[in-house]
């Protein structure tokens, strides 16, 4: 057998398994997802009927869907507002201070905690009867701030977003810290010799140096905000009513609580489309700035 043929056989053999797994666990489910989005399948029966665009029309005409998207948007916008604070913490930890490795570990710790554990911890913190948060507010003579944090529809989403910020901000800080450490120290030394202020160093050296990290964090924020599920599902089940229902929680409830897999598949397709569109817009925005 010629060497060229042997080389092609080896390449084909190595590619066969990963390509097969890709087709089996990614392409095939995606195709079936699109197929079910045009049906009335209930997830149990062997047969279903094609309903055309009915599920898509129903999805856009359902008020709960827009409420859920609004809740997702609150997660996104508050995470974006926290980015400057995360960068400031990363800049602080990037300095040679005593115990910086300890503080980096503490900052990253919430991210590695299990979502169920985080939900139970904050369910206890927010407990209106014997929760530490309301007790602390009472000790500080701030009784007017005491709330039923998980059953008051006016504050429940902010309570859940606070949990999300506590859990994921540390991970973003570590990403920014990695970006800061990739910026050459020579640039800062040259700027210092030229008499640049701290703000000018940040504007002209630090910010451009971590622009790629900011792009990644924004993408993670978009994807995370649209896919947030475990914290609201475990802590409030989307309640009270639908006040804290996110898009993914509503999709899961549609599929497994109401047995409407056709509509749930449609919602999943819409979610995937939104993430792709936001990612393309974000890439185009940052690409334009780089140029």
């Amino acid at each position: 057998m010629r060497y060229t043929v042997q080389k092609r056989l080896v390449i084909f053999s190595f590619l066969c398994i990963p390509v097969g797994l890709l087709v089996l666990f990614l392409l095939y489910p995606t195709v079936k997802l699109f197929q079910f989005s045009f049906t009335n399948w209930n997830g149990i029966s062997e047969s279903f009927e094609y309903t055309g665009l009915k599920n898509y029309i129903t999805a856009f005409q359902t008020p709960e869907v827009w409420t859920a998207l609004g809740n997702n948007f609150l997660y996104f916008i508050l995470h974006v507002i926290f980015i400057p604070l995360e960068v400031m913490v990363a800049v602080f930890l990037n300095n040679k201070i005593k115990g910086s490795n300890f503080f980096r570990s503490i900052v990253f710790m919430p991210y590695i905690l299990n979502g169920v554990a985080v939900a139970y911890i904050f369910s206890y913190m927010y407990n209106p009867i014997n929760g530490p948060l309301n007790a602390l507010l009472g000790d500080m003579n701030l009784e007017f701030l005491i709330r039923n944090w998980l059953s008051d529809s006016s504050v429940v989403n902010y309570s859940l977003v606070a949990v999300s910020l506590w859990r994921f901000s540390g991970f973003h800080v570590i990403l920014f810290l990695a970006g800061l450490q990739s910026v050459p120290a020579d640039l800062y030394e040259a700027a210092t010799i030229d008499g640049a202020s701290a703000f000018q160093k940040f504007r002209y050296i630090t910010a451009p140096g971590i622009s790629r990290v900011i792009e990644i964090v924004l993408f993670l924020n978009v994807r995370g905000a649209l896919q947030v599920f475990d914290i609201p599902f475990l802590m409030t089940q989307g309640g009270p009513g639908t006040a804290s229902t996110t898009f993914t929680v509503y999709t899961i409830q549609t599929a497994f609580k109401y047995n409407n897999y056709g509509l749930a598949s449609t919602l999943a397709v819409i979610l995937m489309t939104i993430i792709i569109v936001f990612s393309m817009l974000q890439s185009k925005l940052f690409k334009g700035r780089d140029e």
Side-chain angles (χ1 to χ4, degrees), residues 147-175:
R147 297 282 189 281
N148 290 328
W149 300 101
L150 299 180
S151 57
D152 186 341
S153 59
S154 64
V155 298
V156 61
N157 279 311
Y158 295 98
S159 303
L160 297 177
V161 173
V163 179
S164 179
L165 288 170
W166 179 84
R167 187 180 179 193
F168 293 106
S169 290
F171 176 60
H172 297 163
V173 168
I174 296 301
L175 291 178

Side-chain angles (χ1 to χ4, degrees), residues 44-89:
I44 300 174
S45 62
E46 296 180 355
S47 61
F48 51 79
E49 296 178 359
Y50 287 94
T51 57
L53 297 174
K54 181 181 178 182
N55 288 335
Y56 288 88
I57 296 172
T58 301
F60 285 111
Q61 292 180 341
T62 302
E64 288 80 3
V65 172
W66 295 104
T67 301
L69 280 175
N71 294 337
N72 287 109
F73 181 72
L74 183 65
Y75 281 84
F76 171 71
I77 198 67
L78 291 182
H79 269 282
V80 170
I81 291 174
F82 255 68
I83 285 180
L85 179 61
E86 294 166 353
V87 174
M88 290 173 61
V89 174

Side-chain angles (χ1 to χ4, degrees), residues 4-137:
T4 305
V5 177
Q6 292 179 350
K7 185 178 178 181
R8 289 177 178 175
L9 282 176
V10 171
I11 293 174
F12 177 79
S13 301
F14 278 105
L15 288 178
C16 184
I17 294 177
V19 171
L21 292 174
L22 182 69
V23 172
L24 182 62
F25 293 108
L26 181 62
L27 295 182
Y28 177 73
T30 303
V31 172
K32 296 299 289 185
L33 179 70
F34 276 93
Q35 179 189 4
F36 290 142
S37 71
F38 296 102
T39 70
N40 63 352
W41 189 43
N42 60 12
I44 300 174
S45 62
E46 296 180 355
S47 61
F48 51 79
E49 296 178 359
Y50 287 94
T51 57
L53 297 174
K54 181 181 178 182
N55 288 335
Y56 288 88
I57 296 172
T58 301
F60 285 111
Q61 292 180 341
T62 302
E64 288 80 3
V65 172
W66 295 104
T67 301
L69 280 175
N71 294 337
N72 287 109
F73 181 72
L74 183 65
Y75 281 84
F76 171 71
I77 198 67
L78 291 182
H79 269 282
V80 170
I81 291 174
F82 255 68
I83 285 180
L85 179 61
E86 294 166 353
V87 174
M88 290 173 61
V89 174
V91 171
F92 176 75
L93 293 177
N94 193 41
N95 295 323
K96 294 180 180 178
I97 58 174
K98 190 175 181 180
S100 60
N101 289 332
F102 170 76
F103 289 116
R104 292 174 188 176
S105 302
I106 292 297
V107 165
F108 189 65
M109 191 69 71
Y111 181 71
I112 63 176
L113 290 179
N114 181 272
V116 177
V118 172
Y120 275 103
I121 290 171
F122 278 90
S123 294
Y124 170 69
M125 295 283 289
Y126 289 141
N127 192 307
I129 299 175
N130 56 0
L133 180 57
N134 280 346
L136 178 63
L137 292 173

Side-chain angles (χ1 to χ4, degrees), residues 151-214:
S151 57
D152 186 341
S153 59
S154 64
V155 298
V156 61
N157 279 311
Y158 295 98
S159 303
L160 297 177
V161 173
V163 179
S164 179
L165 288 170
W166 179 84
R167 187 180 179 193
F168 293 106
S169 290
F171 176 60
H172 297 163
V173 168
I174 296 301
L175 291 178
F176 286 127
L177 187 59
L180 289 171
Q181 292 179 347
S182 68
V183 179
D186 298 347
L187 296 177
Y188 291 105
E189 294 174 1
T192 302
I193 294 173
D194 292 339
S197 64
F199 177 74
Q200 288 173 324
K201 290 179 185 177
F202 178 81
R203 180 180 178 184
Y204 296 108
I205 299 176
T206 305
I210 63 172
S211 61
R212 288 294 180 187
V213 180
I214 294 174

